[in-house]
Amino acid sequence: MKIKWVLLAILSTIVNVLSGCESLAVLDPKGPQAQTQANVIWLSIAIMAVIVIVVCAILVFVLTKYRDSKLPKDYEPPYIEGNHVVESIIVGVPILIVIFFSVVSVISNNKVEATPEGYKGQDPLVIYASSSDWKWHFSYPENDIETVNYLYIPTNRPLEFKLYSFGPITSFWIPQLGGQKYAMSNMVTTLHLAADESGEMMGRNANFSGKGFAENTFHVEAMSQDKFDEWVKEVKETAKPITEVRFNELLKPGHEGQLTFTGTHLDFSPAPEGENAGHHGSSGSNANSKGEHMEHDHNSSNSKEKSAHNHE
């Protein structure tokens, strides 16, 4: 009876604790790439659950059938030769499982590396996402604006992220849009994503990079193309320019709030690609900034934005 109450108490504690957990972001996809990865996760969970149940059932059967019995002390079990059927199952099943998961991994990786399904033929919005200690810088060359520690994206349009780092290697990750990809110094990696739904999401550095790693996160908000265009227009009317001096200050280790600029640091500190590959630095030849722009307090400039953001 005591054991019964102990088990009920443990079960009740587990249920109460788990009820406070938030839903797993990777299993709540908002885009086709994340949906592909969520499908693979659920498939893996289902197959592994079947394997565990079958193995446990066989274990119980073997323990029951071949349990110790009251045999004479001089009893010697008969010599048993190998069973080819059993050995084939023991060796063959794991091989088939590995082959199956290998095929699934190759197919799913090709899907998430390519342009998202349903968005082929559309011009992507190219965003340069670079990291420093411990901030994320987002440059929008098409719109000639830049943000720090937050990312606004339009829905129903493919996104092409160009990733690199001004410091240690980091990993760009928006769980509800797709898997992580490394951002490294002196080279650019490309990540294709898309958002099917409007809403707020969390992004972060998924690679431990020392002190400050835990706060190396950024806010993501997906919105319609019209709202995105309105935001871009507002930024151009109110934000200050990103200058080389200001940008170099941002590269120093430390935490910053959410900042908004006009222009991009790509003008004076281009990404390490093309002719600039392998020569990444914070300073460049074109240090002139555009004087007509203004830096602004993002929180006060965007009255429509929800006030949960901690802006500078």
Side-chain angles (χ1 to χ4, degrees), residues 147-190:
T147 64
V148 176
N149 290 335
Y150 80 96
L151 174 67
Y152 279 8
I153 54 175
T155 55
N156 301 316
R157 182 178 177 183
L159 307 169
E160 184 175 314
F161 288 95
K162 300 290 188 180
L163 311 175
Y164 57 101
S165 172
F166 286 94
I169 182 172
T170 55
S171 180
F172 180 85
W173 187 31
I174 305 174
Q176 289 181 280
L177 291 186
Q180 60 86 26
K181 201 161 193 176
Y182 290 111
M184 297 169 280
S185 179
N186 289 330
M187 68 175 295
V188 171
T189 53
T190 302

Side-chain angles (χ1 to χ4, degrees), residues 78-88 90:
Y79 177 76
I80 301 176
E81 294 184 358
N83 187 306
H84 296 301
V85 175
V86 174
E87 291 174 355
S88 298
I90 294 174

Side-chain angles (χ1 to χ4, degrees), residues 63-80:
L63 292 178
T64 303
K65 182 176 179 61
Y66 300 99
R67 67 186 185 279
D68 190 15
S69 60
K70 296 179 179 178
L71 294 173
K73 292 184 178 180
D74 58 348
Y75 171 77
E76 292 185 2
Y79 177 76
I80 301 176

Side-chain angles (χ1 to χ4, degrees), residues 233-307:
K233 182 181 178 182
E234 181 183 356
V235 169
K236 289 188 173 181
E237 292 175 348
T238 59
K240 292 182 178 179
I242 181 73
T243 64
E244 184 172 4
V245 174
R246 182 71 176 108
F247 183 68
N248 288 337
E249 291 177 353
L250 293 174
L251 294 183
K252 296 177 182 177
H255 296 289
E256 293 281 351
Q258 297 179 342
L259 306 175
T260 311
F261 301 94
T262 54
T264 72
H265 73 264
L266 302 174
D267 292 338
F268 46 80
S269 182
E273 60 182 349
E275 62 180 4
N276 300 305
H279 302 284
H280 195 184
S282 61
S283 62
S285 57
N286 185 10
N288 295 327
S289 60
K290 300 178 180 178
E292 68 272 17
H293 301 308
M294 297 182 298
E295 179 180 355
H296 76 160
D297 185 323
H298 177 67
N299 194 26
S300 62
S301 67
N302 191 353
S303 58
K304 297 179 181 179
E305 183 179 353
K306 298 180 180 177
S307 59

Side-chain angles (χ1 to χ4, degrees), residues 97-267:
I97 293 173
V98 171
I99 292 175
F100 175 78
F101 279 116
S102 298
V103 173
V104 170
S105 298
V106 170
I107 295 174
S108 60
N109 282 339
N110 285 333
K111 280 187 177 180
V112 298
E113 286 289 335
T115 301
E117 291 183 352
Y119 293 91
K120 293 181 179 178
Q122 298 185 34
D123 291 332
L125 175 63
V126 178
I127 302 174
Y128 284 79
S130 55
S131 62
S132 63
D133 292 327
W134 294 275
K135 297 166 283 291
W136 284 96
H137 311 262
F138 300 104
S139 303
Y140 299 72
E142 178 179 315
N143 310 106
D144 197 29
I145 61 175
E146 180 157 322
T147 64
V148 176
N149 290 335
Y150 80 96
L151 174 67
Y152 279 8
I153 54 175
T155 55
N156 301 316
R157 182 178 177 183
L159 307 169
E160 184 175 314
F161 288 95
K162 300 290 188 180
L163 311 175
Y164 57 101
S165 172
F166 286 94
I169 182 172
T170 55
S171 180
F172 180 85
W173 187 31
I174 305 174
Q176 289 181 280
L177 291 186
Q180 60 86 26
K181 201 161 193 176
Y182 290 111
M184 297 169 280
S185 179
N186 289 330
M187 68 175 295
V188 171
T189 53
T190 302
L191 178 65
H192 297 278
L193 298 176
D196 291 334
E197 305 175 21
S198 300
E200 298 182 6
M201 291 165 274
M202 181 274 291
R204 66 164 304 117
N205 168 22
N207 185 64
F208 181 71
S209 55
K211 181 181 178 183
F213 157 77
E215 292 79 29
N216 199 180
T217 62
F218 56 93
H219 174 76
V220 183
E221 188 163 341
M223 60 191 72
S224 65
Q225 184 67 53
D226 291 341
K227 289 186 177 180
F228 180 79
D229 293 338
E230 290 177 7
W231 171 71
V232 171
K233 182 181 178 182
E234 181 183 356
V235 169
K236 289 188 173 181
E237 292 175 348
T238 59
K240 292 182 178 179
I242 181 73
T243 64
E244 184 172 4
V245 174
R246 182 71 176 108
F247 183 68
N248 288 337
E249 291 177 353
L250 293 174
L251 294 183
K252 296 177 182 177
H255 296 289
E256 293 281 351
Q258 297 179 342
L259 306 175
T260 311
F261 301 94
T262 54
T264 72
H265 73 264
L266 302 174
D267 292 338

